[in-house]
């Protein structure tokens, strides 16, 4: 993959379209715009140095299974062919919505007629106390017994935050290619054999998957009572936990990191909530990702649109079914948004690649004068760890906010590392967990997406050989002519 392809363009001109973000949602929007508008000027701005790459593949890059040049999902020619002015290494700081102007670092300004924000999510960094390593080895606890917090506070170098964690050698997040490159280089340089991962959610497990693949022993620290708690239930988590532990990994549940010890700005050790101390030179912080609202918040106190409105946001940027924000000519798509959950009917942030692509497409069509509606999406993710594939789709841990009776069908065969859980509400499947065999995931996904009445095939759903043949005949017809199966 070639780096630094900045296509020349006069930045004083007003672009017909500016897209912040050069990833799933942004580039899908480019293709959609070009379906309707062949000549309008498009600029794509990104603060990354890479032309584009698939985020889900950074796990396999770190694991050494995919080379850097195979990570991209759009070729270099894509930008030329679509007449896109791509501006790499350009961090957008603020937006003047009234003046329709973007203000980036180094004083760069870009004017737009229509704007699409696809600037994704950012990792959450918990505020953990960072202390000098000598406090760790000298027995910080016994030394400070009975002292009040202000005395101990003198020994705290800093509280970890989003800005300063990168200053400590050995602490990383794992949400972009730059992270993967830096972790890879650090492992090689420091001959790392063991690592601690804070967070047993999807990103934590994705990094675990990569590290295990290259022979690094891991310790996972998870606040809840099980790993993958947002998408798995206890039985599903247990299959993966048992396998991880059987292969030498250690999992600490209902625990977290209370203190980090550093020496010469390098990570030396961590201390857990339960008092246990772990020497470690590599810590991956993976406690979650949230929509990156920093551009919006930086612009907030500064300027509003011409009607005095500010862009609306909750956990993410709020958009309508056209992916338009409350500000005219400003759209948002992908991980930065709160959008429609097809199953619950609520507005949520569902940070998955296929939805970012679909939302970008809808935004692009509407920006270019067409009309397309986003019908909503649902959560789905797949992960393969220690050769155990798994997938979770939709609502897998139903709670009180689901209307109607909930019925759950399960099959659990831990000795075969196999688990299937189907969640049904109002005669329709609303969620599924598959562990060990994910071959039929597309069929279940299709049933969820198309809200198929499964009353007549309920007893077949759980069978291991469940397949197209057992589907309702009306729906089967739809599969032949339509797009029923898609995950
Ligand atoms: C390790 C990992 C594994 C994943 N695995 C899967 C998976 O298996 N399946 C799945 O469906 N999803 C997976 N995801 C989630 C998926 O990658 C995201 O949902 C998807 O990338 C979202 O696309 P996006 O275009 O909305 O945002 P992003 O891909 O996050 O892209 C945001 C873009 O905005 C740019 N940007 C951000 N801020 C600024 C700024 N201030 N100025 C300029 N540019 C800016 C960034 O540089 C980037 O180009 C994974 C994510 C990670 C991190």
């Amino acid at each position: 993959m070639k780096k630094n392809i900045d296509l020349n363009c006069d930045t004083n001109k007003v672009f017909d379209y500016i897209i912040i973000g050069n990833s799933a949602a942004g580039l899908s929007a480019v293709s959609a715009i070009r379906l309707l508008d062949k000549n309008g000027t498009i600029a794509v701005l990104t603060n990354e140095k890479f032309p584009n790459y698939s985020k889900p593949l950074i796990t396999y890059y770190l694991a050494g299974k995919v080379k850097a040049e195979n990570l991209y999902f759009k070729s270099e020619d894509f930008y030329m062919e679509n007449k896109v002015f791509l501006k790499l290494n350009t961090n957008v700081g603020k937006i003047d919505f009234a003046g329709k102007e973007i203000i980036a670092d180094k004083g760069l300004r870009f004017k737009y007629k229509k704007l699409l924000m696809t600037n994704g999510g950012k990792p959450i960094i918990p505020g953990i106390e960072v202390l000098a390593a000598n406090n760790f080895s000298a027995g910080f606890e016994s030394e400070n017994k009975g002292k009040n917090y202000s005395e101990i506070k003198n020994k705290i170098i800093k509280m970890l935050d989003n800005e300063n964690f990168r200053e400590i050698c050995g602490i990383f997040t794992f949400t972009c290619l730059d992270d993967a490159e830096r972790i890879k280089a650090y492992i090689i340089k420091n001959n790392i054999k063991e690592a601690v991962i804070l967070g047993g959610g999807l990103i934590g497990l994705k990094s675990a998957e990569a590290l295990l693949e290259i022979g690094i022993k891991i310790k996972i620290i998870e606040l809840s009572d099980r790993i993958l708690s947002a998408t798995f239930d206890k039985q599903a988590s247990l299959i993966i936990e048992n396998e991880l532990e059987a292969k030498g990994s250690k999992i600490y549940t209902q625990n977290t990191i209370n203190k980090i010890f550093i020496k010469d700005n390098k990570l030396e050790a961590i201390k857990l909530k339960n008092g246990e101390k772990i020497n470690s030179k590599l810590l991956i912080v993976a406690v979650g990702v949230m929509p990156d609202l920093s551009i919006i918040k930086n612009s907030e106190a500064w300027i509003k649109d011409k009607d005095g409105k500010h862009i609306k946001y909750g956990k993410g940027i709020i958009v309508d079914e056209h992916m338009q924000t409350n500000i005219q000519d400003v759209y948002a798509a992908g991980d930065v948004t709160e959008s429609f959950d097809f199953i619950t009917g609520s507005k949520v942030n569902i940070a998955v690649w296929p939805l970012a692509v679909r939302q970008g497409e809808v935004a692009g069509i509407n920006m270019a004068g067409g009309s397309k509606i986003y019908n909503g999406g649902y959560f789905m993710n797949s992960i393969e760890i220690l050769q155990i594939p798994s997938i979770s789709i939709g609502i897998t841990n139903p709670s009180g906010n689901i209307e109607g009776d909930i019925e759950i069908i399960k099959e659990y065969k831990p000795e075969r590392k196999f688990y299937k859980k189907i969640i049904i509400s109002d005669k329709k499947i609303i969620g599924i967990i598959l562990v060990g065999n994910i071959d039929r995931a597309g069929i279940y996904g299709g049933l969820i997406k198309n809200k198929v009445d499964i009353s007549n095939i309920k007893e077949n759903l759980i069978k291991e050989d469940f397949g197209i043949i057992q589907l309702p005949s009306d729906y089967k017809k739809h599969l032949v002519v339509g797009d029923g199966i898609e995950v």
Side-chain angles (χ1 to χ4, degrees):
M1 183 167 35
K2 283 191 206 159
K3 290 181 181 173
N4 297 323
I5 46 164
D6 271 12
L7 304 181
N8 287 327
C9 189
D10 173 9
T11 55
N12 287 322
K13 73 189 222 176
V14 181
F15 286 95
D16 293 313
Y17 310 93
I18 291 191
I19 299 170
I20 305 172
N22 181 39
S23 185
L27 297 189
S28 158
V30 167
S31 302
I33 290 170
R34 281 289 175 247
L35 289 176
L36 299 181
D37 182 349
K38 302 283 179 219
N39 297 313
T41 49
I42 305 178
V44 170
L45 313 179
T46 173
N47 55 10
E48 292 188 281
K49 60 185 176 187
F50 312 99
N52 71 71
Y53 62 91
S54 162
K55 274 199 180 181
L57 288 186
I58 65 170
T59 306
Y60 306 104
Y61 171 72
L62 181 57
K65 286 177 165 178
V66 175
K67 291 193 177 132
E69 59 267 29
N70 295 331
L71 288 172
Y72 57 85
F73 62 98
K74 299 280 185 199
S75 73
E76 216 175 290
D77 296 341
F78 173 85
Y79 301 94
M80 290 290 187
E81 282 164 10
N82 288 287
K83 291 182 257 167
V84 172
F85 166 52
L86 172 66
K87 190 85 180 119
L88 303 174
N89 299 306
T90 302
N91 187 59
V92 172
K94 298 175 186 174
I95 298 164
D96 171 355
F97 290 112
K100 291 192 155 187
E101 192 172 28
I102 287 165
I103 294 100
D105 291 357
K106 299 176 218 144
L108 283 174
R109 287 172 173 255
F110 304 87
K111 282 191 177 289
Y112 63 83
K113 288 184 185 161
K114 291 195 176 157
L115 170 66
L116 173 61
M117 299 189 67
T118 66
N119 52 301
K122 68 170 181 190
I124 299 168
I125 306 293
I128 304 171
E129 294 170 358
V130 180
L131 297 104
N134 58 331
N135 288 318
F136 173 63
S137 43
F140 182 76
E141 291 304 299
S142 52
E143 205 182 277
N144 291 290
K145 218 170 191 170
K147 286 187 182 169
N148 64 32
Y149 186 72
S150 58
E151 283 174 275
I152 299 172
K153 220 173 133 188
N154 293 334
K155 302 196 171 177
I156 297 170
I157 300 171
K158 57 187 157 195
M159 299 296 281
L160 207 64
D161 67 29
N162 255 78
E163 304 300 320
N164 67 22
F165 81 94
R166 286 180 207 281
E167 292 162 10
I168 303 171
C169 293
I171 302 186
F172 300 89
T173 51
F174 187 59
T175 61
C176 60
L177 183 52
D178 194 46
D179 287 341
E181 276 197 337
R182 291 188 320 113
I183 295 170
K184 204 174 196 144
Y186 180 83
I187 288 173
I188 295 167
K189 188 172 170 210
N190 297 283
N191 194 23
I192 299 292
K193 300 280 177 230
E194 290 181 345
V196 173
I197 299 170
L198 177 60
L202 276 165
I203 305 279
L205 267 281
K206 296 261 179 188
S207 52
E209 189 183 347
L211 294 179
L212 288 167
E213 194 66 38
I214 49 174
I216 293 183
K217 278 197 166 179
I218 53 164
K219 292 187 167 73
I220 299 175
I221 322 292
E222 167 57 46
L223 199 54
S224 99
D225 64 347
R226 61 184 191 275
I227 59 166
L228 292 165
S229 62
T231 51
F232 273 16
D233 63 5
K234 191 81 193 157
Q235 284 164 310
S237 300
L238 207 59
I239 295 179
I240 310 287
E241 285 172 7
N242 287 345
E243 192 65 7
L244 281 165
E245 286 178 336
K247 298 280 160 50
S249 306
K250 200 158 176 194
I251 298 163
Y252 300 76
T253 52
Q254 292 173 314
N255 217 328
T256 188
I257 297 178
N258 272 355
K259 292 180 175 62
I260 287 172
F261 296 92
I262 62 171
K263 189 179 173 192
D264 302 329
N265 229 19
K266 289 187 185 134
L267 177 70
E268 287 278 310
I270 57 157
K271 184 172 169 257
L272 303 182
K273 188 177 101 182
N274 70 356
E276 197 169 324
K277 292 169 184 171
I278 301 171
N279 287 319
S280 181
K281 300 247 182 268
L282 172 57
L283 167 65
I284 296 184
V285 180
V287 297
V289 176
M290 60 181 179
D292 187 351
L293 298 173
S294 50
I295 301 175
I296 297 295
K297 289 184 178 170
N298 288 344
S299 315
E300 197 165 40
W302 187 59
I303 199 140
K304 297 179 172 43
D305 82 332
K306 62 180 178 352
D307 302 321
K309 283 187 292 182
H310 191 274
I311 193 160
K312 279 195 189 142
Y313 62 86
K315 283 192 178 139
I317 300 177
I318 293 170
V319 287
D320 64 14
E321 57 193 5
H322 297 102
M323 304 312 294
Q324 189 167 5
T325 69
N326 60 312
I327 307 263
Q328 204 183 346
D329 298 330
V330 179
Y331 295 73
D335 284 10
V336 76
T337 63
E338 255 182 41
S339 59
F340 182 58
D341 183 327
F342 169 85
I343 298 172
T344 61
S346 54
K347 290 257 172 153
V348 284
N349 171 250
I350 311 177
V352 296
W353 185 275
L355 296 192
V357 169
R358 265 181 32 215
Q359 293 178 6
E361 185 194 348
V362 170
I365 295 282
N366 292 316
M367 287 167 83
S371 177
K372 190 157 180 145
I373 283 180
Y374 178 67
N375 295 319
Y378 45 82
F379 179 84
M380 58 187 138
N381 220 308
S382 72
I383 185 160
E384 179 164 340
I385 195 145
L386 297 168
Q387 282 80 52
I388 306 177
S390 67
I391 193 160
S392 44
I393 307 177
I395 296 171
T396 48
N397 288 310
S399 60
N401 60 356
I402 305 294
E403 281 174 20
D405 291 338
I406 297 281
E407 189 180 348
I408 292 175
I409 320 176
K410 292 182 185 188
E411 175 139 326
Y412 183 48
K413 294 183 180 156
E415 68 295 346
R416 283 181 44 214
K417 296 165 202 158
F418 175 88
Y419 182 54
K420 189 189 272 193
K421 174 181 178 182
I422 301 165
I423 301 97
I424 299 166
S425 167
D426 194 20
K427 301 180 194 161
K428 292 167 195 93
I429 303 180
I430 57 164
I432 181 143
I433 300 176
L434 300 173
V435 181
N437 181 352
I438 60 167
D439 290 352
R440 308 291 201 275
I443 298 176
Y444 293 109
L447 293 172
I448 296 175
K449 184 183 166 206
N450 294 294
K451 298 193 173 178
V452 177
D453 182 337
I454 47 80
S455 321
N456 294 333
I457 56 162
K458 209 158 72 182
E459 58 284 4
N460 290 327
L461 287 173
I462 202 70
K463 291 185 181 158
E464 257 190 76
D465 64 351
F466 172 69
I468 291 176
I469 196 80
Q470 287 117 336
L471 291 173
S473 42
D474 274 4
Y475 179 60
K476 258 192 294 196
K477 266 189 248 156
H478 157 79
L479 288 182
V480 177
V481 292
D483 63 346
I485 297 179
E486 185 203 321
V487 176

